[in-house]
Amino acid sequence: MPEPYIRLAVPADEEELAVLDRATWSTLHAVAPPPQGPFFDERHVPEDHLVAEADGRVVGYVRIGRPTPLASNAHVLQIQGLVVAEEARGLGLGRALIRAAVDAARGRGARRLSLRVLGHNAPARALYESEGFTVEGVQPEEFLLDGTYADDVLMGRKL
């Protein structure tokens, strides 16, 4: 696979992102039902996404958004999705997307970057920890996924 590059998403990426989202959906990382509708909507706009592109196609993305609409929380941004295509895994793309998210959050004036990850998603947790995120809280058995309870782990880092 050619070296991917990371860029800001544009509206024309919507179909490729929707296909990628459906192809990678799993209860390893998702608490919502499998994605059905459009990728972009009023809450998830192209400007909140960085995409990894290789050989003219999207192979990953990271979504950065505000955790709440409160003005008192405007200094915090949150990673609200990180996806890498199956064929692009193991190449450091997830790490590159996290680093790009950190840079983008700083560029948007954020002082903190947070995220939520399922307790059983050990690979993602290890990746986030290696990039400076620490566990800030755990909600035990917050979700019931495929008949098994899963912890919701809040992680964050200063920027």
Side-chain angles (χ1 to χ4, degrees):
M1 170 174 289
E3 185 71 26
Y5 70 95
I6 298 172
R7 61 173 174 78
L8 194 61
V10 295
D13 294 322
E14 181 164 33
E15 183 56 33
E16 277 189 282
L17 287 166
V19 168
L20 179 62
D21 227 23
R22 287 190 294 273
T24 58
W25 182 91
S26 163
T27 54
L28 176 64
H29 59 79
V31 297
Q36 302 289 323
F39 186 82
F40 297 130
D41 58 28
E42 62 279 348
R43 288 184 43 235
H44 305 111
V45 296
E47 298 79 22
D48 289 339
H49 297 81
L50 298 169
V51 298
E53 185 176 308
D55 205 20
R57 63 186 189 86
V58 173
V59 294
Y61 76 84
V62 62
R63 175 182 288 154
I64 309 164
R66 292 186 56 194
T68 74
L70 301 170
S72 60
N73 190 227
H75 63 286
V76 178
L77 289 175
Q78 184 177 58
I79 292 177
Q80 297 177 337
L82 175 67
V83 170
V84 176
E86 187 71 36
E87 69 274 11
R89 292 182 184 167
L91 304 174
L93 192 51
R95 184 175 307 282
L97 283 164
I98 291 169
R99 289 177 179 174
V102 167
D103 290 344
R106 278 189 186 118
R108 289 170 59 176
R111 292 176 44 96
R112 285 185 28 79
L113 185 61
S114 66
L115 59 90
R116 294 168 66 180
V117 61
L118 292 172
H120 60 246
N121 192 346
R125 290 179 63 182
L127 176 61
Y128 295 136
E129 287 174 4
S130 73
E131 288 300 317
F133 289 84
T134 60
V135 173
E136 298 177 337
V138 177
Q139 293 180 292
E141 298 185 353
E142 185 71 8
F143 299 104
L144 179 61
L145 304 169
D146 292 336
T148 303
Y149 289 99
D151 295 349
D152 187 15
V153 180
L154 174 66
M155 300 181 80
R157 62 168 284 177
K158 292 182 180 181
L159 297 178

